């Protein structure tokens, strides 16, 4: 018998245990091991029933995702082995009880549904998360789930991919009983109870499949929802088609439809990109020169300096994670405004059903407002979120250095300033780090963790670990202007304004990027963030601009007219009282006039050029960042763009996207832009090198601790 599946006998009940750490994925050897165990069960007349359980912390978390790449690259044949195994389990003469703890996800739930009964620990979860990997359930999940849970729940689970708690799984009939206490003992007792009963086969249970009239509105609503919430993703719609097939065709025929759709999705660029994202999110947590064993500093209490939009949001993030937090402002009115905005945010979350009132009340108690540094001497971590100006930040860090206990982490939420210079205001630069949250901090998943020259390894390890606890994806970046995300965003926005000045309309630029999959067009983002923010920064750094290099001017001119974006009711767009964007022909006329004054010829600009100009501006700057070592790996840049800038996950991030297009093609296009638009489009040397060598950005590894 395979080492991955063990069989023991508990009186007259057989217990099969899958042991394939860390998550009991269905790697080669696991299905074979289960098949052998089922053979023995059938043969052994002394055995009356069986329990299948996962060893370690979970049931089966699904197919082994690492194997997918081997299949799509043709390195292994796509085995049909798993689906026949499920039929074999279902056809077994003796009942097999699936005992679920941890997660039964993807192929894990498909395995469980082929069993005759399912019991679950009360903290277990089940789900068909395949869409998040750009695929659909491929082992009859779309066919068995509606037979157990009903069509509406099945279509929701397969199309949205979110997990379902054990109590809900019980309510929908996905599991038959919840077990308190020892799961295995409970499952064995359950197996004895039902041993003499007939063995129900999920695939033959058609009573919950509904009628065409009942199902039509369910599928229509699911498709509308998928088009809106998973815009551009093929897998969600494919999953809905597959569940619909379950309601229209016999089981075997439905399985064939599922198989065809599964294969289409598996071989798509979308699934490759999403699998890259799955592993990427885990990869970014690994810092080459900071081993997993690095000691971390317990963060049980925190303080935030500055109760503005960012500071208030950051305080909520800590409170939501159960960490008490002091929130300091300089004067009472500012503190009151900050607290009012926190309360409003929480009230909205209750209204939308994200949090209960009780949860919010508890969180609010964890946020303690203050006008002084009282209490700061005992906190484990402080996050400074005051106005973006070096002098002020240095003053705050000088204060913190005097007040905070030795070893406390002193973090700055700066988005542009030099972390080393901020650290120089203290006598303990090893404790200083950048933690760049994204607005709104309580919503956005990204946390750029900025490593200063002297930042201690345990401080970095703590912040990386803490990011997970705070529900964020922490990505370590180096200390350069704008760090990684904003440094790349700068040329992206610059190109959007250049395009306007060359003749494209505001709506054409935004809709091209929206159709590419970005959450919002670049100009609408500018209006949301406030055009005056960039304007002020540009004014501050004007002395660094090199003469003779083209500068985008239309945004600054709008600011001079008082059009700062949403907050002033007008920017690139006009806004109604509900902050809904309305195209404003006046902007087009103004830009035309300014362009004529500057002597910029006007032309028709294609959608394709708009996308290439903006996305390749990201790629070119990203390649420089990578080569200079301010990001550890290309995937780190991808994860930053997916979680902080609304880049479509099904394109894998800007660097992965460039690899998918092919670096030679990207490089050639950048050379074209270089010829047309000059110096700003100088191709990054790394891009040139990799393109010439036929390599990929994703393969590039500097083999050193890039940000140290
Ligand atoms: C599928 O089942 C298709 C079917 O329809 C069948 C078709 C025929 N494979 O997340 P963690 C690794 S598609 C390979 O840090 P947690 C992960 O990379 C699959 N590896 O832990 C990490 O490795 P490392 C559907 C996997 O406790 C380590 O395990 N299933 C897999 O925070 C620990 O993972 C899913 O989509 C896998 N399936 O969360 C479930 N899963 O340490 C995907 C994990 O080297 N998995 N690894 O970085 C998850 O959602 C989470 O991992 C889980 C645990 C909730 C299970």
């Amino acid at each position: 018998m395979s080492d991955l599946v063990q069989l023991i006998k508990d009186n007259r009940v057989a217990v099969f245990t899958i042991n394939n750490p860390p998550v009991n994925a269905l790697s080669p050897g696991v299905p074979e091991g289960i098949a052998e165990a089922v053979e023995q069960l059938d043969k052994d007349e002394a055995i009356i029933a069986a329990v299948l359980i996962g060893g370690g912390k979970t049931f089966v978390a699904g197919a082994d995702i690492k194997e997918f790449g081997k299949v799509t690259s043709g390195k292994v044949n796509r085995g049909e082995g798993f689906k026949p195994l499920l039929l074999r389990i279902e056809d077994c003469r003796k009942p097999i009880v699936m005992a679920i703890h941890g997660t039964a996800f993807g192929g894990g739930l498909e395995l469980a549904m082929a069993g005759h009964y399912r019991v679950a620990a009360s903290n277990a979860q089940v789900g068909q998360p395949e869409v998040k990997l750009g695929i659909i359930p491929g082992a009859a999940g779309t066919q068995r789930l509606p037979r157990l849970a009903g069509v509406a729940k099945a279509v929701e689970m397969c199309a949205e991919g979110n997990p379902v708690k054990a109590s809900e799984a019980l309510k929908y009939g996905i599991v038959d009983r919840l077990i308190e206490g020892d799961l295995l003992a409970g499952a064995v007792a359950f197996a004895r109870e039902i041993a003499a009963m007939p063995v129900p086969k999920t695939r033959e249970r058609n009573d919950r499949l509904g009628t065409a009239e009942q199902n039509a509105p369910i599928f229509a609503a699911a498709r509308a929802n998928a088009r809106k919430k998973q815009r551009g993703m093929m897998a969600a719609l494919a999953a809905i088609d597959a569940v619909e097939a379950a309601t229209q065709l016999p089981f075997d025929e439905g399985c064939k439809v599922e198989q065809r759709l599964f294969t289409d999705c598996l071989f798509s660029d979308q699934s490759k990109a999403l699998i890259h994202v799955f592993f990427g999110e885990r990869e970014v947590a690994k810092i080459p020169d900071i081993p997993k064993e690095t000691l971390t500093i317990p963060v049980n209490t925190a303080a935030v300096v500055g109760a503005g939009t960012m500071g208030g949001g950051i305080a909520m993030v800590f409170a939501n994670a159960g960490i008490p937090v002091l929130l300091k402002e300089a004067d009472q009115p500012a503190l009151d405004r900050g607290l009012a905005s926190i309360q409003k945010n929480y009230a909205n979350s209750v209204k939308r059903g994200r949090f209960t009132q009780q949860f919010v009340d508890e969180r609010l108690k964890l946020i303690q407002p203050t006008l002084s540094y009282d209490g700061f001497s005992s906190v484990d971590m402080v996050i400074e979120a005051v106005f973006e100006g070096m002098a002020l930040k240095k003053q705050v860090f000088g204060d913190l250095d005097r007040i905070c206990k030795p070893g406390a982490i002193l973090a700055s939420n700066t988005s542009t300033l030099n972390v080393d210079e901020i650290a120089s205001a203290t006598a303990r630069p090893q404790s200083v780090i950048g933690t760049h949250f994204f607005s709104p901090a309580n919503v956005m998943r990204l946390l750029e963790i900025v490593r200063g020259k002297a930042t201690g390894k345990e401080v970095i390890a703590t912040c990386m670990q803490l990011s997970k606890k705070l529900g964020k994806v922490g990505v370590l970046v180096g200390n350069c202007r704008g760090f990684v995300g904003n440094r790349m965003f700068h040329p992206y926005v610059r190109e959007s304004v250049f395009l306007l000045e060359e003749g494209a309309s505001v709506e054409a630029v935004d809709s091209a990027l929206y159709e590419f999959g970005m959450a919002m067009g670049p100009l609408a983002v500018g209006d949301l963030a406030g055009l005056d923010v960039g304007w002020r920064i540009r004014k501050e750094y004007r002395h660094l601009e090199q003469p003779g290099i083209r500068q985008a001017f239309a945004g600054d001119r709008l600011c001079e007219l008082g059009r700062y974006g949403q907050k002033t009711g007008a920017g690139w767009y006009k806004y109604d009282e509900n902050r809904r964007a309305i195209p404003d022909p006046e902007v087009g006329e103004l830009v035309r006039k300014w362009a004529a004054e500057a002597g910029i010829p006007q032309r028709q600009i294609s959608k394709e050029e708009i996308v290439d100009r903006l996305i390749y501006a990201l790629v070119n700057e990203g390649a420089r960042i990578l080569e200079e070592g301010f990001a550890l790996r290309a995937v780190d840049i991808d994860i930053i763009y997916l979680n902080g800038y609304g880049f479509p996950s099904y394109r894998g991030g800007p660097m992965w996207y460039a690899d998918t297009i092919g670096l030679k093609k990207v490089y050639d296009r950048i050379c074209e832009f270089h010829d047309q638009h000059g110096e700003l489009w100088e191709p990054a040397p790394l891009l040139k090198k990799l393109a010439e060598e036929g390599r990929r950005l994703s393969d590039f590894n500097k083999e050193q601790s890039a940000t140290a």
Side-chain angles (χ1 to χ4, degrees):
M1 167 155 278
S2 154
D3 292 346
L4 300 171
V5 180
Q6 281 85 45
L7 190 158
I8 56 158
K9 292 173 199 165
D10 179 343
N11 201 350
R12 297 190 66 197
V13 174
V15 175
F16 312 156
T17 307
I18 301 174
N19 277 310
N20 184 26
V23 295
N24 291 327
L26 296 161
S27 320
V30 173
E32 293 78 358
I34 300 171
E36 278 179 56
V38 175
E39 282 314 312
Q40 294 203 19
L41 171 67
D42 248 349
K43 274 194 226 139
D44 191 338
E45 289 308 326
I47 301 289
I48 52 169
V51 168
L52 189 152
I53 193 165
K57 64 174 187 175
T58 187
F59 189 71
V60 172
D64 187 336
I65 303 167
K66 288 195 269 315
E67 294 293 310
F68 291 163
K70 296 183 197 160
V71 173
T72 51
S73 61
K75 286 193 189 125
V76 295
N77 284 333
R78 183 163 34 91
E80 288 291 311
F82 187 48
K83 266 194 292 186
L85 168 66
L86 300 186
L87 294 176
R88 177 75 188 86
I89 291 172
E90 211 168 31
D91 288 337
C92 183
R93 290 178 293 117
K94 299 170 191 172
I96 301 178
V97 177
M98 301 289 177
I100 301 168
H101 71 303
T103 49
F105 280 175
L109 180 55
E110 291 172 309
L111 172 66
M113 290 191 294
H116 305 108
Y117 297 93
R118 285 148 295 281
V119 298
S122 52
N123 59 358
Q125 294 189 327
V126 303
Q128 298 285 178
E130 286 88 341
V131 280
K132 301 200 174 180
L133 301 170
I135 55 173
I136 67 166
T142 61
Q143 308 301 299
R144 284 195 179 88
L145 190 55
R147 288 174 158 85
L148 286 179
V151 175
K153 192 67 191 168
V155 85
E156 177 198 310
M157 286 174 68
C158 293
E160 294 177 24
N162 295 324
V164 161
K165 290 191 181 124
S167 52
E168 208 186 335
L170 178 70
K171 182 173 128 199
Y172 281 97
I174 303 169
V175 302
D176 303 292
R177 185 179 291 178
L178 298 191
I179 306 272
E180 298 297 336
D182 186 335
L183 176 66
L184 180 58
V188 169
F190 182 89
R192 288 192 214 292
E193 254 177 65
I194 50 83
M197 303 209 316
V199 282
K201 297 181 187 176
T202 306
R203 70 175 192 269
E204 290 176 358
R205 292 168 61 173
N206 296 333
D207 54 305
R208 301 205 64 188
L209 289 178
T211 63
E213 294 73 46
Q214 287 164 338
N215 291 334
I218 296 174
F219 292 117
R223 289 191 173 99
N225 190 48
R227 288 198 177 98
K228 194 166 149 210
K229 295 206 183 129
Q230 291 143 290
R231 183 167 56 91
M233 282 181 65
M234 65 188 281
L237 291 171
I240 298 167
D241 290 349
V243 177
E244 190 171 42
T247 66
Q248 295 170 338
L249 299 169
F251 180 82
D252 290 349
E253 295 302 312
C255 284
K256 284 186 197 152
V257 173
E258 181 195 80
Q259 178 63 44
R260 180 174 53 74
L261 292 163
F262 172 79
T263 308
D264 288 350
C265 289
L266 183 63
F267 282 83
S268 69
D269 284 342
Q270 292 201 355
S271 135
K272 292 186 187 110
L274 286 160
I275 289 171
H276 158 74
V277 174
F278 175 84
F279 286 115
E281 285 203 351
R282 284 145 184 90
E283 179 87 4
V284 295
K286 295 168 189 155
I287 315 296
D289 71 328
I290 304 183
K292 233 166 64 197
E293 314 70 62
T294 306
L295 284 182
T296 54
I297 302 159
V299 178
N300 297 317
T301 52
V304 175
V305 186
T309 314
M310 286 312 290
I314 296 169
M316 289 172 76
V317 170
F318 278 83
N320 291 347
I323 300 173
V325 58
L326 295 167
L327 179 61
K328 179 185 177 306
E329 247 308 341
D331 57 59
Q332 194 64 48
L335 189 57
D336 291 345
R337 274 196 304 276
L339 286 172
S341 133
I342 290 175
Q343 271 153 354
K344 193 167 145 212
N345 271 333
Y346 272 132
N348 281 338
S349 298
V350 174
K351 227 187 281 163
R352 283 200 304 269
R354 187 168 165 234
F355 294 146
T356 63
Q357 189 58 50
Q358 190 198 342
F359 178 89
V360 163
D361 292 343
E362 284 163 14
R363 302 305 116 179
L364 282 169
K365 272 190 221 140
L366 291 175
I367 301 176
Q368 197 188 317
T370 175
L371 291 173
S372 74
Y373 280 118
D374 287 354
F376 273 59
S377 60
S378 62
V379 298
D380 301 318
M381 177 170 185
V382 183
I383 301 94
E384 163 279 309
V386 300
F387 190 74
E388 193 77 349
M390 185 53 90
L392 179 60
K393 302 242 178 208
K394 277 178 141 174
Q395 190 197 323
V396 171
F397 272 77
D399 292 344
L400 295 175
D401 190 31
R402 262 182 294 103
I403 295 157
C404 294
K405 67 182 180 188
I409 296 175
L410 307 183
S412 172
N413 181 51
T414 180
S415 54
T416 46
L417 299 174
N418 185 330
V419 171
D420 290 332
E421 195 178 339
I422 296 175
S424 73
T426 74
R428 43 170 133 175
Q430 73 282 2
S431 296
V432 177
I433 193 164
T435 48
H436 179 205
F437 287 82
F438 286 70
S439 183
N442 54 316
V443 177
M444 299 294 285
R445 279 184 83 211
L446 178 62
L447 181 61
E448 274 188 330
I449 296 175
V450 190
R451 181 178 198 162
K453 237 183 354 236
T455 310
K457 290 188 179 180
E458 70 288 1
V459 173
I460 297 169
T462 303
C463 289
M464 293 300 293
Q465 206 182 62
L466 182 69
S467 60
K468 204 168 174 186
K469 188 169 177 196
L470 298 179
K472 306 284 170 205
V473 186
V475 184
L476 189 67
V477 299
N479 181 26
C480 57
R481 196 171 135 204
F483 312 127
V484 169
N486 284 346
R487 177 170 157 185
M488 287 166 64
F489 202 60
H490 175 70
Y492 173 84
V493 173
R494 176 198 76 206
E495 288 303 310
S496 70
V497 182
F498 279 172
L499 285 161
L500 296 182
E501 293 168 1
E502 290 164 31
S505 70
V506 169
E507 297 78 51
V509 171
D510 272 359
S511 69
L513 272 298
Y514 184 76
E515 280 169 32
F516 174 81
M518 299 298 290
M520 286 171 86
L523 301 163
V525 170
D527 275 359
L528 177 68
L531 299 178
D532 55 320
V533 180
W535 182 43
R536 285 214 181 93
I537 295 172
R538 280 191 294 277
K539 280 198 284 194
E540 196 168 318
Y541 287 105
R542 196 132 284 163
H543 61 286
L544 297 178
E545 283 168 9
Q546 290 172 34
I549 304 257
R550 181 177 170 190
Q551 301 295 336
F553 54 78
D556 293 357
R557 297 272 172 89
L558 280 190
C559 288
E560 285 159 18
L561 297 173
R563 298 183 68 128
Y564 292 175
Q566 289 196 17
K567 60 184 159 191
T568 56
W572 295 114
Y573 297 87
K574 278 191 295 200
Y575 291 89
D576 66 13
E577 60 286 0
N578 298 317
R579 292 205 168 190
R580 225 185 351 240
I582 303 161
D584 186 354
E586 199 190 325
V587 172
E589 283 160 28
L590 284 169
V591 178
R592 290 296 83 74
K593 182 169 127 275
W594 296 330
E597 285 161 11
I600 301 174
Q602 301 294 288
R603 62 196 173 88
Q604 284 287 329
I605 302 177
S606 70
K607 216 182 256 188
E608 188 216 352
E609 180 180 342
I610 294 173
V611 170
D612 286 356
R613 287 270 294 272
L614 269 77
I615 302 297
Y616 292 171
L618 287 179
V619 173
N620 205 29
E621 194 63 30
R624 274 184 219 287
I625 287 173
L626 198 56
E627 188 165 28
E628 290 165 15
F630 291 106
L632 277 166
R633 298 146 292 224
V635 68
D636 293 53
I637 298 177
D638 287 335
I639 297 301
I640 287 174
Y641 261 76
L642 298 174
N643 291 288
Y645 294 85
F647 201 93
S649 57
Y650 61 82
R651 294 196 191 270
M655 311 314 263
W656 182 265
Y657 173 72
D659 282 342
T660 306
I661 296 290
L663 290 192
K664 175 77 174 67
K665 217 169 142 192
V666 174
Y667 171 68
D668 287 346
R669 188 82 164 128
I670 288 178
C671 289
E672 248 180 71
F673 294 150
H674 189 208
D675 291 343
Q676 291 160 3
H677 304 285
E679 212 160 324
L680 289 169
W681 275 100
E682 168 99 44
L686 177 66
L687 192 66
K688 178 172 191 290
K689 181 171 177 296
L690 294 178
E692 283 169 356
E693 290 171 1
R695 289 168 63 203
R696 297 161 58 89
L697 286 161
S698 327
D699 301 335
F700 176 74
N701 185 346
K702 267 190 89 171
E703 286 166 8
Q704 64 183 47
S705 168
T707 53

